[in-house]
Amino acid sequence: MIYLDNAATTAQKPPEVIETMRTFLEQNLQGNPARGGHAVSLQALAAVEETRALTARFFGVGDARQVAFSFNVTAALNAVLKGLLKPGDHVITTCTEHNSVLRPLYQLEAAGVALDIVSLNDAGLIDPHELAAYLRPETTAIVVNAASNVTGDALDLRAVADICHAHDLLLIVDAAQAAGTIALDMSALGIDVLCFTGHKSLYGPGGTGGIVLGDDTDPARFRPTLSGGSGIQSFSRVHPHVMPTLFEAGTQNVLGLVGLSAGIRYLNGIGMARVQARLTHLTHFFREHIQSVPGVTVYGAFDRPEVTRAPIVALNLGAWPAAEISDLLAEDYDIATRPGAHCAPLMHEALGTTDQGIVRFSFSTLNTEAELATAAAAVRDLAMRL
Amino acid sequence: MSEGTDRRPVLAMPDYILASFDSSHDALTAEQTARAAGFRARLVPTPERVRAGCGLSLRMNPEDVKKIDAVMREVGIEPSHYTLMTADRGRRVYVPLDLSQMRESEEDVT
């Protein structure tokens, strides 16, 4: 199979991720961190804290305690949004968001938080300056993705951060598609809160993710949305309000975090600048190979070289349902893609694809030009057969 | 690449039926049940226009739909709806099927 559904999850992991997790299990190192003073518990704690330090450095944060782990980016976004926003607050987001942002915000809206959603401009992009048009005195935060999970188009986060900081707002970033595909230095970009998942382009296993607060982001602004065992302050009736415990309750996914650390090390070994360049190359390589396919529509701002992108090519063939195109690619050509709405309903409304869906091809560092050439030939072949 | 003379035959578009569900759990159970009963059926992505709750639907041959519906209901799986997927001049056409009518006619037969 040629696996081109990496925006859903990277099914192929680097060998060092597999080996690191296997060794950790085989050596019986998976103790319960911060729950005992014996060697196995302490080794597990050291493994989790090493992942925390690696994660902080990866996102340009100096204090590792500003990193809290969760089980995926959805859990992270829920914890941040529901821990921050309260009735009377106002929040601004965009139509390009995934349901992991939209649904928590709709829940909060029902509870009295005011919500504005910015639309695409004529170029099919989010104009950061349009976000500013929705500012109110009670605006608390702007929540945006770093890159669309439908088109791969990235947002100019620095421009959004400038708006946020000029008005004392928090910039909360959903980095599901950008973490590990686009270099994200939170300090340089001015990101106050970043939520990530480990199983996509950070090459970790499922069940990993987290919240990264910027070095200047005050954890006191957030309420814990989970409470329970923490390994600290056990006689307190309330969950500790200190990072990282603020967002962590119960036993950590130690084995998963060990795998995540190996994934981040894999990326560090290549260097994020080279990773991003490689993925950008693969994306344009595929797009160039399919752009002349009869009846193809490619979504996203490929005609704007200034737009950074996650490694995604989203397309349709004629008016054919994306679900059937994806099924034919899987059945007849052994190529894995993702059709449908991609949990981004407003983006599909904006693109006019609610009835058709979109076929999404998404790439990882482990894909090759040969694979993408084969996939592009399959798209062409399919278009000729339809 | 298959450009030029190496063009493959035009895609055959046989009619088929999609059973759609409210959850992925039901979709997978339905596939396992249908296959265990000897039917050729498989999970496919649900087209957007079907508007089902679950992103996976069970694809089956039209002649098997009543029998597969019966074996699914035996294990407590009830599709939210059925859609006949047919084609007209190279475009996909969706025909919702009336479940109750279909089952009544099945009961008449049996």
Side-chain angles (χ1 to χ4, degrees):
Chain A
M1 170 180 282
I2 297 177
Y3 186 81
L4 302 178
D5 194 16
N6 294 284
T9 193
T10 47
Q12 291 171 281
K13 305 297 181 189
E16 49 266 58
V17 171
I18 298 164
E19 191 52 39
T20 302
M21 293 179 73
R22 188 206 317 272
T23 301
F24 197 75
L25 268 180
E26 284 176 349
Q27 294 182 353
N28 299 319
L29 295 175
Q30 197 179 204
N32 197 332
R35 302 299 196 276
H38 56 76
V40 177
S41 173
L42 292 176
Q43 281 163 342
L45 177 62
V48 169
E49 295 311 310
E50 185 184 354
T51 309
R52 204 184 301 282
L54 269 170
T55 305
R57 281 200 296 277
F58 187 79
F59 290 116
V61 168
D63 186 347
R65 291 172 297 185
Q66 295 288 75
V67 176
F69 293 117
S70 65
F71 297 113
N72 50 50
V73 69
T74 299
L77 285 161
N78 270 268
V80 165
L81 297 173
K82 293 173 181 173
L84 172 73
L85 298 167
K86 54 190 184 306
D89 286 345
H90 171 240
V91 61
I92 303 168
T93 191
T94 82
C95 71
T96 68
E97 305 309 317
H98 189 278
N99 272 336
S100 59
V101 166
L102 293 175
R103 284 178 169 167
L105 290 181
Y106 292 148
Q107 268 187 303
L108 288 161
E109 186 180 34
V113 172
L115 169 65
D116 275 310
I117 301 174
V118 176
S119 305
L120 298 180
N121 64 13
D122 292 342
L125 297 165
I126 295 296
D127 180 348
H129 302 291
E130 281 188 34
L131 292 160
Y134 290 88
L135 289 172
R136 303 181 193 175
E138 62 272 26
T139 306
T140 308
I142 293 179
V143 190
V144 293
N145 62 66
S148 161
N149 74 310
V150 178
T151 63
D153 290 341
L155 185 60
D156 181 352
L157 290 173
R158 184 66 251 180
V160 181
D162 289 343
I163 294 165
C164 286
H165 299 157
H167 297 87
D168 197 24
L169 314 179
L170 283 181
L171 170 56
I172 300 170
V173 172
D174 167 10
Q177 297 301 331
T181 64
I182 296 169
L184 291 174
D185 183 318
M186 290 176 65
S187 303
L189 292 169
I191 299 171
D192 299 302
V193 184
L194 180 145
C195 297
F196 70 95
T197 197
H199 69 94
K200 297 182 192 282
S201 297
L202 295 178
Y203 298 97
T208 57
I211 298 159
V212 188
L213 302 185
D215 281 316
D216 297 328
T217 305
D218 183 1
R221 298 190 66 167
F222 301 88
R223 305 175 299 279
T225 54
L226 284 176
S227 53
S230 57
I232 62 169
Q233 300 179 23
S234 292
F235 289 95
S236 170
R237 289 169 63 96
V238 298
H239 196 76
H241 276 55
V242 295
M243 282 296 285
T245 313
L246 174 67
F247 292 117
E248 294 178 352
T251 299
Q252 290 279 10
N253 177 8
V254 179
L255 179 63
L257 293 174
V258 165
L260 175 60
S261 73
I264 294 174
R265 273 198 214 89
Y266 162 77
L267 291 169
N268 286 341
I270 302 171
M272 266 314 296
R274 286 180 63 198
V275 168
Q276 187 173 338
R278 168 72 180 160
L279 293 172
T280 301
H281 164 72
L282 288 176
T283 306
H284 286 283
F285 177 90
F286 184 72
R287 189 254 178 172
E288 284 158 16
H289 276 67
I290 52 97
Q291 66 181 347
S292 64
V293 168
V296 74
T297 301
V298 179
Y299 302 89
F302 279 94
D303 57 340
R304 295 191 165 228
E306 75 276 15
V307 176
T308 305
R309 43 188 329 104
I312 287 171
V313 175
L315 62 81
N316 271 317
L317 290 179
W320 210 249
E324 287 195 88
I325 297 297
S326 182
D327 185 47
L328 286 164
L329 287 167
E331 285 295 305
D332 292 1
Y333 303 91
D334 207 19
I335 295 168
T337 61
R338 164 94 187 265
H342 314 95
C343 302
L346 302 184
M347 187 57 163
H348 280 271
E349 285 177 15
L351 295 172
T353 50
T354 51
D355 279 353
Q356 188 177 14
I358 282 178
V359 187
R360 183 182 70 185
F361 295 75
S362 51
F363 316 116
S364 87
T365 54
L366 301 173
N367 286 128
T368 63
E369 283 91 341
E371 285 181 318
L372 301 200
T374 301
V379 173
R380 184 176 297 277
D381 190 52
L382 190 48
M384 304 296 269
R385 292 167 63 201
L386 289 172
Chain B
M1 305 285 281
S2 63
E3 289 175 278
T5 56
D6 186 28
R7 185 180 292 192
R8 293 178 61 180
V10 171
L11 191 65
M13 291 190 293
D15 291 356
Y16 61 89
I17 285 176
L18 290 179
S20 304
F21 305 90
D22 289 329
S23 75
S24 306
H25 171 86
D26 284 5
L28 185 63
T29 306
E31 184 195 48
Q32 290 169 339
T33 304
R35 287 193 171 187
F39 295 101
R40 284 185 63 197
R42 64 184 178 88
L43 291 178
V44 297
T46 306
E48 300 313 297
R49 283 194 53 190
V50 171
R51 299 277 184 256
C54 174
L56 292 170
S57 293
L58 189 64
R59 176 176 172 154
M60 61 190 73
N61 294 324
E63 60 269 27
D64 293 334
V65 62
K66 290 179 184 173
K67 293 170 191 164
I68 291 178
D69 181 68
V71 296
M72 284 193 292
R73 283 193 292 151
E74 275 175 25
V75 296
I77 300 295
E78 186 129 358
S80 57
H81 43 285
Y82 284 97
T83 310
L84 170 65
M85 303 290 285
T86 185
D88 179 32
R89 283 165 288 179
R91 292 178 76 89
R92 183 54 79 196
V93 177
Y94 304 74
V95 183
L97 299 183
D98 186 325
L99 265 179
S100 53
Q101 213 171 51
M102 191 181 82
R103 286 172 186 159
E104 274 171 23
S105 66
E106 176 198 4
E107 281 155 17
D108 292 344
V109 172
T110 56

